[in-house]
Amino acid sequence: LSSYQGLTMVNVLKPHKSTEPEYFIPEGSQIIESPDDDFDSAILSILQAAVPGGFQTNTALLPLDPRINNINVIELIINMHKNVLLYKHGILRDPASRRIDIWWKGEENGNLMALLSYIINRSDRREGKPVKRIRLIRKLFKEEEREKAENDLQRLLYNARLTGEVLVLDEDDKPIHKNIEEESSDAILIMMGMPGEKSGKVVRLFSLNTLFFTKELEKFRNLPPTLFVKAYRTMELFE
């Protein structure tokens, strides 16, 4: 996500009493032993630590892991004015597919998802890899106009400097996770907004309920790799 675009710090958290397993550690990353296996505190401490050169981290990428209190950590990160990306591993049903599906619901998370797709494709292009296909998908709500929705998505692609497809789905009685299963089961990556509700007019005021959050994420268990995105503010694509 940060190739040629910024600075990334990769930290691998290790339980205090476990022996170090044999797995690939990215070059430049570090293993951090978590005291008392308190991963929540370790994550928050890392995000608040000083970064060389005076840089400030603006985004945290976390795995969907039962050892992390997702609700507590995500809300605290948002209050620190940082974006949160929660990654759920999944099985690729079509390994040859190079399509990223972005499920659009609004600018708050949608602009950030579009920007991430742009960065991924720019990195692929720099490394001589085939760029990934981008598809913006939006499900119409009651009384929404199809033509306006399609025009809005095309404008987003243009503003995000992306070449991609637009798919607008008619309103139906299916829950959104069923629509995603039907349309995106062959994608290599799905991006969608993180389940939750705004608790105020400010984007960063984001309320998470543990039971609701857990039940919502469970609905997406059988999907390909999925990135749940929560932007702490609406990102302008021309910044």
Side-chain angles (χ1 to χ4, degrees), residues 24-37:
F24 173 74
I25 301 295
E27 184 179 354
S29 63
Q30 58 181 336
I31 297 177
I32 296 178
E33 188 172 286
S34 179
D36 302 318
D37 297 346

Side-chain angles (χ1 to χ4, degrees), residues 53-201:
F55 291 101
Q56 291 293 321
T57 56
N58 60 16
T59 302
L61 172 61
L62 307 173
L64 183 57
D65 190 302
R67 293 170 293 182
I68 299 173
N69 183 336
N70 290 305
I71 303 296
N72 181 55
V73 170
I74 290 169
E75 287 188 328
L76 288 171
I77 293 175
I78 292 170
N79 288 331
M80 292 165 62
H81 295 188
K82 300 180 190 294
N83 307 311
V84 185
L85 311 178
L86 185 64
Y87 176 76
K88 179 200 75 69
H89 185 60
I91 303 300
L92 288 177
R93 300 184 184 178
D94 182 6
S97 170
R98 293 191 61 80
R99 193 184 76 241
I100 296 175
D101 279 356
I102 300 174
W103 282 80
W104 168 269
K105 193 174 179 181
E107 287 186 342
E108 291 172 7
N109 297 318
N111 284 6
L112 177 57
M113 292 189 285
L115 181 60
L116 292 172
S117 299
Y118 167 76
I119 294 172
I120 289 171
N121 266 350
R122 191 164 188 259
S123 297
D124 283 348
R125 194 175 290 112
R126 287 285 193 96
E127 295 176 6
K129 300 176 182 177
V131 296
K132 296 173 178 64
R133 292 171 51 212
I134 306 298
R135 186 167 67 160
L136 283 180
I137 307 175
R138 179 174 178 176
K139 182 177 179 178
L140 294 176
F141 294 102
K142 194 173 184 179
E143 299 180 357
E144 276 193 304
E145 297 180 5
R146 169 178 286 275
E147 184 176 356
K148 182 180 184 306
E150 291 176 345
N151 290 338
D152 287 346
L153 293 184
Q154 291 290 356
R155 185 166 59 251
L156 175 66
L157 285 174
Y158 176 79
N159 288 346
R161 306 168 186 84
L162 291 171
T163 300
E165 308 165 34
V166 165
L167 174 62
V168 175
L169 304 178
D170 291 325
E171 181 190 13
D172 58 33
D173 295 330
K174 297 177 184 176
I176 190 63
H177 70 274
K178 289 295 184 183
N179 296 120
I180 296 176
E181 285 179 5
E182 293 173 358
E183 299 293 339
S184 298
S185 61
D186 60 340
I188 62 164
L189 179 65
I190 297 170
M191 291 192 198
M192 59 184 297
M194 194 175 295
E197 298 178 349
K198 286 194 296 182
S199 58
K201 293 183 179 180

Side-chain angles (χ1 to χ4, degrees), residues 19 22 41 49 51-52 57 61 63 84-85 97 114 116 211 215 220 226 235:
T19 57
E22 293 184 3
S41 296
V51 180
T57 56
L61 172 61
V84 185
L85 311 178
S97 170
L116 292 172
L211 182 60
K215 284 185 174 180
F220 304 103
T226 303
M235 184 168 295

Side-chain angles (χ1 to χ4, degrees), residues 9 11 13 30 32 41-51 57:
M9 296 182 296
N11 299 285
L13 300 186
Q30 58 181 336
I32 296 178
S41 296
I43 291 169
L44 296 172
S45 295
I46 290 168
L47 289 172
Q48 296 178 83
V51 180
T57 56

Side-chain angles (χ1 to χ4, degrees), residues 200-236:
K201 293 183 179 180
V202 182
V203 175
R204 69 173 181 272
L205 296 179
F206 185 66
S207 176
L208 293 173
N209 174 279
T210 302
L211 182 60
F212 169 80
F213 189 76
T214 303
K215 284 185 174 180
E216 284 299 298
L217 292 186
E218 184 64 25
K219 295 175 182 177
F220 304 103
R221 172 188 291 271
N222 297 323
L223 291 179
T226 303
L227 202 61
F228 297 97
V229 176
K230 180 68 189 93
Y232 86 88
R233 65 180 177 89
T234 301
M235 184 168 295
E236 297 296 333

